[in-house]
Amino acid sequence: MKVFQSTEAYVAGPNPVATIGTFDGLHQGHRKILKRLQDAARAIEGESVVITFHPHPRLVLYPEDNPLRLLHTLEERIAAMEAFGIDKLMIIKFTREFSRTTSHQFIEHILHNTIQIRRIVIGYDHHFGKNRTGGLKELEDGAGQFGFDVEEIPAQRIDNAAVSSTKIRQALHEGDVTTATSYLGYPYPVTGRVITGEQLGRQLGWPTANVKPSDPYKLIPRQGVYLATLEIEGVEHFGMLSVGKKPTVGSHFPLGLEINLFDFDRDIYGANVTVRFLRWVREDRKFDSLETLKAAIAQDKQDCLALIREHYT
């Protein structure tokens, strides 16, 4: 997949078929749109092109106390698009100035002049341009002027996936990563860097890798213990993941992600990694003593190993 970070850098190819969207999470509903995009491109021996935006428009237009948390960082979105098999990804930097681009200007300057599209594929009720005033009618008007085709995917074909980014966020807020996985089609990821922590896990006999998410707007699932994997250098390792604030040992700790890896003994400080949430184990809670905490962690590992045997072997 070729990635273009601006319209100026874009190089048009043969018979482009494009779609537009933020595609946060790239869930099953999104995948129906992208599959149709690919099929339409193949039918005319063309290329599939996704036009997306970064930062997320809502974070630019409504920055004050914005509660939005992302399902995908930009890097995760790029990786997901590449894994899906998209030919080209154009990332438009979303600014307040760009938000004033009218739907007609978007059609003329980006879809026609830059992408040189032959067809555009959109989900039902899609809106774009200044104040989101552009829609199917504006695209059809542009098609008549610039000579491309417009295809809107019916609501039923997308709704049959019974999924939305809102539903995924709700599942993650509840710690229901199994449902989130079914909606997404893959385990929920958090990419980041391994940083030096307080070494409390090592003192308890359970050394952990502390992962700092790469994007402060990344959604972190509910506090608790999970079965998870950590991918480093292309290899995934099972472990038990704690999302919490260490309530047993103090009240001053920020929310952290710590994973104890099974059958793994390497120094990975500073490494870029991806954590994937597989199964919920228990809620985060304060224990009466460190001995009780250590016993609970030992039980967590047994519970995680049982889940691995049941679902992943």
Side-chain angles (χ1 to χ4, degrees):
M1 182 179 73
K2 295 181 179 179
V3 180
F4 301 90
Q5 299 280 355
S6 68
T7 55
E8 293 77 15
Y10 189 82
V11 179
N15 300 326
V17 180
T19 192
I20 313 166
T22 54
F23 295 103
D24 186 27
L26 202 62
H27 57 61
Q28 301 284 21
H30 292 148
R31 288 166 180 261
K32 286 182 176 288
I33 296 173
L34 297 185
K35 180 62 167 61
R36 178 57 200 145
L37 175 75
Q38 291 175 319
D39 291 344
R42 292 191 189 100
I44 59 173
E45 298 182 348
E47 58 184 13
S48 56
V49 182
V50 172
I51 304 168
T52 193
F53 309 96
H54 182 76
H56 194 289
R58 283 169 55 187
L59 296 176
V60 174
L61 298 176
Y62 314 105
E64 297 83 7
D65 299 321
N66 196 312
L68 177 68
R69 290 298 176 264
L70 302 176
L71 299 175
H72 263 168
T73 65
L74 178 60
E75 292 75 14
E76 290 166 353
R77 201 180 343 161
I78 292 171
M81 289 287 181
E82 183 165 25
F84 196 86
I86 297 301
D87 294 317
K88 289 183 178 178
L89 179 65
M90 178 195 280
I91 303 168
I92 295 177
K93 184 178 181 179
F94 195 91
T95 62
R96 285 190 173 273
E97 180 181 4
F98 180 80
S99 74
R100 293 189 281 271
T101 302
T102 67
S103 57
H104 179 77
Q105 290 170 331
F106 188 92
I107 292 168
E108 179 177 5
H109 298 306
I110 295 179
L111 297 184
H112 177 62
N113 293 344
T114 303
I115 306 295
Q116 302 175 25
I117 64 168
R118 285 283 306 279
R119 176 183 290 264
I120 186 164
V121 176
I122 56 171
Y124 73 97
D125 198 31
H126 179 81
H127 290 88
F128 65 100
K130 183 179 179 180
N131 298 324
R132 293 174 54 81
T133 54
L136 180 61
K137 180 183 182 302
E138 286 71 23
L139 285 171
E140 290 177 336
D141 290 345
Q145 180 179 357
F146 297 114
F148 58 84
D149 297 324
V150 179
E151 178 180 348
E152 182 185 53
I153 298 179
Q156 184 178 4
R157 286 181 59 186
I158 298 177
D159 287 346
N160 282 345
V163 63
S164 68
S165 296
T166 299
K167 289 183 178 180
I168 295 168
R169 288 188 177 92
Q170 183 61 37
L172 293 171
H173 283 307
E174 295 172 357
D176 187 359
V177 293
T178 303
T179 294
T181 296
S182 69
Y183 285 159
L184 288 166
Y186 52 87
Y188 182 66
V190 174
T191 59
R193 185 170 58 87
V194 178
I195 62 173
T196 302
E198 301 288 338
Q199 305 292 320
L200 294 175
R202 188 172 299 277
Q203 294 173 30
L204 293 171
W206 300 94
T208 59
N210 292 263
V211 179
K212 181 180 181 180
S214 59
D215 191 321
Y217 288 103
K218 177 72 175 184
L219 190 156
I220 304 302
R222 175 186 173 187
Q223 294 182 41
V225 177
Y226 298 83
L227 171 65
T229 60
L230 181 140
E231 179 185 339
I232 180 170
E233 298 175 351
V235 179
E236 288 195 278
H237 306 271
F238 283 108
M240 53 180 174
L241 172 70
S242 173
V243 178
K245 298 183 178 182
K246 307 180 181 69
T248 303
V249 295
S251 59
H252 63 284
F253 294 99
L255 181 69
L257 281 74
E258 298 182 68
I259 185 167
N260 172 265
L261 298 174
F262 307 146
D263 301 319
F264 186 91
D265 186 19
R266 283 175 50 195
D267 183 349
I268 56 174
Y269 288 120
N272 295 314
V273 299
T274 299
V275 171
R276 293 184 173 88
F277 288 73
L278 301 183
R279 300 274 169 168
W280 169 265
V281 176
R282 66 166 173 86
E283 65 182 4
D284 187 33
R285 62 181 185 270
K286 183 177 180 178
F287 292 93
D288 295 334
S289 67
L290 292 181
E291 290 304 315
T292 307
L293 172 60
K294 288 193 286 185
I297 295 173
Q299 184 59 53
D300 293 338
K301 179 173 183 179
Q302 293 308 311
D303 292 342
C304 285
L305 293 175
L307 288 170
I308 293 171
R309 290 192 296 268
E310 182 179 357
H311 299 285
Y312 302 100
T313 57

